[in-house]
Amino acid sequence: MSTSKTIKSALISVFHKDGLAPIVQKLNELGVTIYSTGGTEKFIKELGIDVVPVEDVTSYPSILGGRVKTLHPKVFGGILNRQDHVGDVAEMQEYEIPQLDLVIVDLYPFEKTVASGAPEQDIVEKIDIGGISLIRASAKNFKDTFTVSSMEQYDEFLSIISENNGETSLEQRKTFAAKSFNISSHYDTAIFNYFNEDEVVFKASETTSKTLRYGENPHQKGYFFGDLEAMFDKLHGKELSYNNLLDVDAAVNLMNEFVGEDPTFAVLKHNNACGFAQRATIKQAYVDALAGDPVSAFGGVLIANKEIDAETAAEIHKLFCEVVIAPSYSDEALTTLKGKKNRVILIQKTTELPVQNVRTALNGLLVQDKDSKTDTLEDLTYVTDTKPTDSEIKDLLFASKICKHTKSNTIVFTKNNQLLASGTGQTSRVDALRQAIEKATSFGFDLKGAVMASDAFFPFPDCVEIADKAGITSVIQPGGSIKDQLSIDYCNANNISMVMTGTRHFKH
């Protein structure tokens, strides 16, 4: 039996009518009988094309304020019947059920209604019942029925029927069925997540995807699921890679700690800040951030919390960097930065980021709340006899923000709102501390009077002792070790101030 089917009848009932007219006109040209409801029926009539109201088939009007229009055996029988099944064919004749070869239906805009901040009653009314049922039924019966479930599919469908004179193949019908189940499952996920408050269930669905050049390495495939255009305006440069996106994510999350503050600039490499400074001008912030580690900055990701001007761009242009991110750029700055054809230039938009972190682990997923806690002055407990000065407190909180976004185990040194060095991703805190000291020394920084932040407590006093001998005068850490007192005792004996926050900031 041939798997090709010629469309002779269609049910069309859509919320979005943009782009529908050419399809309706082509179906009419092909002699297809069109059934419809409500606003879509009116739309088709206004095109001067004959349309059969669904009410004429079901002998029921649209009832309950439009909540029930197509939910009827004569509609679903026309969709779900198996054309090669003798019993189905007989019942179709017995009950005078019209064959429906094509279903064009979309869904009420539930997610957009939620995003608009509409009241719950309006949101509930955007939970589609008839549409979702029609999509599932016609997709299930793809062997005989063609399903178009979104306005994004209109152009492709129109090409199919135009090129093949209304005839469709089994492969085409199955492909569109898959698209339909993708839409229906995404829709149900959005509804569940809106209502769910108690069940510990992970449901996520991303319908927007981008194929990357490759993954972490060239032999790995890579994809991004999400809407980058909602986050950034890309002004220039090559396509973002998998590794670029990881660094951009780290950069955005770090700089979100400094929104609305004085001009701040960060340079990131492998998800960690290798340079960071806050100054009176964005140019000086960049210059001092770069000084933190000009070697690691090569090929890095740069991010600013203020507009990048011409002078800053001229300095940036001297460095090979992969990505530059800012809320805006002057015209002169853009002209300069575009001087490197592959350099990616992004304008960051104001966008809400996910409140959970998700990653694969073993044969499942690890899901956690995002670390949204930022240490503040009110969180500090002064545990040593020597108290930090006002300028040290400012540096301690500054260091804590950077430390929170640096891979564990980590130690961060700052002074005068500048990152002097950090030890990142080490297997011991002592190793992280020694790495930070070595880096600071190699780039000519004097650690005398600098402060130190640690993402977790000190199990022994060795860290504060090593830091003291390097010139550190004040320390911020979460505390919580059974041997905290040993570190406190060392600080008291050596005139070092130390504060505890009570909050650990591991980042694995």
Side-chain angles (χ1 to χ4, degrees), residues 226-507:
D227 187 0
L228 284 176
E229 291 183 2
M231 280 213 64
F232 305 106
D233 286 330
K234 183 183 172 195
L235 305 181
H236 182 73
K238 63 184 179 180
E239 292 300 312
L240 288 164
S241 70
Y242 183 96
N243 293 331
N244 287 157
L245 288 170
L246 287 175
D247 282 332
V248 168
D249 175 71
V252 166
N253 280 286
L254 171 58
M255 195 55 73
N256 277 353
E257 301 278 357
F258 299 88
V259 172
E261 296 191 13
D262 290 340
T264 307
F265 215 108
V267 182
L268 286 92
K269 193 74 173 288
H270 297 290
N271 310 156
N272 295 308
C274 59
F276 200 98
Q278 189 172 75
R279 293 291 183 259
T281 67
I282 200 67
K283 176 189 174 182
Q284 196 59 49
Y286 169 71
V287 169
D288 289 349
L290 181 63
D293 188 346
V295 175
S296 295
F298 183 86
V301 168
L302 280 56
I303 186 168
N305 72 342
K306 304 290 184 183
E307 178 173 283
I308 292 180
D309 55 25
E311 289 187 345
T312 309
E315 291 295 325
I316 293 171
H317 195 58
K318 300 173 185 177
L319 174 73
F320 168 71
C321 59
E322 294 272 357
V323 184
V324 183
I325 309 166
S328 59
Y329 304 82
S330 71
D331 291 342
E332 296 88 345
L334 277 179
T335 299
T336 300
L337 293 174
K338 287 180 179 180
K340 299 283 179 71
K341 68 176 183 178
N342 287 330
R343 179 184 285 148
V344 179
I345 304 173
L346 301 175
I347 290 180
Q348 183 181 348
K349 303 177 185 178
T350 302
T351 312
E352 286 191 19
L353 295 174
V355 297
Q356 289 184 319
N357 299 128
V358 182
R359 66 196 299 181
T360 58
L362 301 175
N363 62 346
L365 299 172
L366 283 172
V367 181
Q368 66 168 352
D369 293 339
K370 199 169 185 177
D371 184 358
S372 59
K373 171 63 178 172
T374 299
D375 298 326
T376 65
L377 183 63
E378 290 73 23
D379 296 316
L380 304 184
T381 300
Y382 303 87
V383 296
T384 54
D385 296 336
T386 301
K387 308 304 179 190
T389 64
D390 289 346
S391 62
E392 284 176 331
I393 289 175
K394 187 176 181 181
D395 275 335
L396 289 169
L397 293 174
F398 182 81
S400 175
K401 289 180 180 181
I402 300 172
C403 191
K404 170 184 168 183
H405 293 274
T406 307
K407 295 286 187 181
S408 299
N409 288 316
T410 187
I411 292 290
V412 167
F413 295 149
T414 67
K415 183 164 62 174
N416 299 328
N417 286 350
Q418 181 183 19
L419 173 64
L420 303 186
S422 59
T424 64
Q426 300 303 302
T427 52
S428 81
R429 202 155 303 282
V430 171
D431 285 347
L433 174 56
R434 286 178 173 150
Q435 182 192 54
I437 292 171
E438 182 180 348
K439 287 188 69 174
T441 302
S442 69
F443 292 117
F445 288 111
D446 181 5
L447 290 177
K448 187 177 179 180
V451 307
M452 176 173 76
S454 174
D455 60 330
F457 63 63
F458 302 122
F460 304 102
D462 48 3
C463 280
V464 289
E465 181 178 354
I466 295 169
D468 171 37
K469 291 176 179 178
I472 298 299
T473 57
S474 192
V475 178
I476 185 170
Q477 57 129 327
S481 169
I482 60 173
K483 297 184 178 181
D484 274 346
Q485 193 59 46
L486 295 179
S487 294
I488 294 171
D489 290 343
Y490 181 90
C491 289
N492 284 335
N494 293 276
N495 297 317
I496 299 172
S497 63
M498 183 162 66
V499 297
M500 294 184 181
T501 63
T503 303
R504 187 181 73 184
H505 292 293
F506 269 163
K507 188 171 186 287

Side-chain angles (χ1 to χ4, degrees), residues 32-50:
V32 174
T33 300
I34 299 174
Y35 300 86
S36 192
T37 64
T40 309
E41 178 190 339
K42 179 182 177 184
F43 174 82
I44 295 171
K45 284 180 178 178
E46 289 175 350
L47 292 174
I49 294 172
D50 290 337

